[in-house]
Amino acid sequence: GDVLDGVDAHAHAVAHRSSIDALDGFEAQGGGDWHLELELRGGDHCFECCALLDREVDEIDVAVDAELDKLESVTVTSLYEAIMMAHLRHFQTRKRSIVLWFGTRESSVVLDRVDRRYARMAEWIHNATTKTGLLRPDTPEWGPAAMVWMSDRTFEFIFREKRTPAEQERIMREFLEMATRYIIDTYSAKQDAAGVPHAKIAEAAG
């Protein structure tokens, strides 16, 4: 896997001109202190980054499906947790994905990939929650899109500083708890308390 967003100022400044060979070498060496020691060789590789981003998305989607499959019943909170924690664990185990996903967005081609990815995610979440009765039909369509982008910014915040995996997970879980609590308090339907079967979510989301 190989693609996410910025970490610190140095990584963000150099990632858009990084070579894939340098990133491969960086990961092969265990990443080192990747906040301070990231040194990448020049060259515009936005199209290579897009290819890696597509592969990254496929890998993350497999991880998300695996997390959702573990749930016998799905609530708004557990749905967002399954999706976002799968992303977080992917980034935690693939350091260069953080650089590529977040550090290459100065390329309009890459940013377009990210925009379309998040738009599809938001539509999927909106259908999964409103068509199953987890949330009311009047839940705004922009709500999941805002949640996806706020989660994206939270990932960037998490990886801007050196934190332990436990600290990273705690921040993400607490953010999701705060954000989903408002959604539930404002738009929840009665079914959310008990949840709905995973199969119903998959059918509704399409």
Side-chain angles (χ1 to χ4, degrees):
D2 325 75
V3 194
L4 197 83
D5 178 9
V7 274
D8 63 5
H10 179 60
H12 185 81
V14 301
H16 73 282
R17 64 177 185 274
S18 65
S19 76
I20 301 308
D21 288 342
L23 288 168
D24 286 338
F26 177 71
E27 186 173 77
Q29 296 167 11
D33 186 349
W34 54 283
H35 293 271
L36 301 176
E37 298 175 6
L38 189 60
E39 293 182 1
L40 304 173
R41 294 189 292 273
D44 183 3
H45 294 273
C46 65
F47 291 103
E48 290 93 331
C49 287
C50 285
L52 291 170
L53 179 56
D54 291 341
R55 190 175 75 189
E56 190 87 359
V57 166
D58 289 342
E59 292 178 2
I60 293 173
D61 285 345
V62 169
V64 169
D65 287 342
E67 288 300 311
L68 290 173
D69 285 344
K70 295 176 184 177
L71 302 175
E72 292 185 9
S73 64
V74 181
T75 65
V76 171
T77 300
S78 66
L79 179 67
Y80 275 109
E81 282 187 350
I83 294 170
M84 298 310 171
M85 296 308 294
H87 281 72
L88 176 64
R89 292 183 182 117
H90 186 85
F91 302 150
Q92 287 174 323
T93 57
R94 294 164 175 79
K95 298 297 192 294
R96 66 177 180 174
S97 78
I98 298 168
V99 175
L100 286 166
W101 189 281
F102 292 104
T104 61
R105 292 186 187 177
E106 291 181 17
S107 163
S108 61
V109 178
V110 172
L111 185 58
D112 179 67
R113 280 283 206 292
V114 175
D115 284 340
R116 287 188 282 118
R117 159 71 171 174
Y118 285 170
R120 288 194 300 269
M121 282 179 62
E123 182 181 14
W124 189 95
I125 293 170
H126 184 74
N127 289 336
T129 52
T130 57
K131 291 183 179 181
T132 58
L134 289 175
L135 296 177
R136 300 197 311 265
D138 63 331
T139 302
E141 292 186 8
W142 54 261
M147 271 294 294
V148 168
W149 277 104
M150 286 191 294
S151 296
D152 177 272
R153 296 299 88 193
T154 302
F155 289 132
E156 183 176 15
F157 169 76
I158 286 171
F159 290 110
R160 277 188 177 276
E161 296 181 13
K162 242 183 156 176
R163 308 181 198 273
T164 66
E167 289 173 325
Q168 294 166 355
E169 183 166 331
R170 179 179 58 81
I171 291 171
M172 196 65 210
R173 287 192 184 279
E174 290 192 10
F175 160 72
L176 291 172
E177 175 65 23
M178 289 186 290
T180 58
R181 179 51 48 197
Y182 173 81
I183 296 171
I184 293 168
D185 288 347
T186 308
Y187 297 106
S188 179
K190 291 181 180 179
Q191 288 91 328
D192 185 61
V196 299
H198 172 257
K200 190 175 180 181
I201 290 287
E203 180 182 351

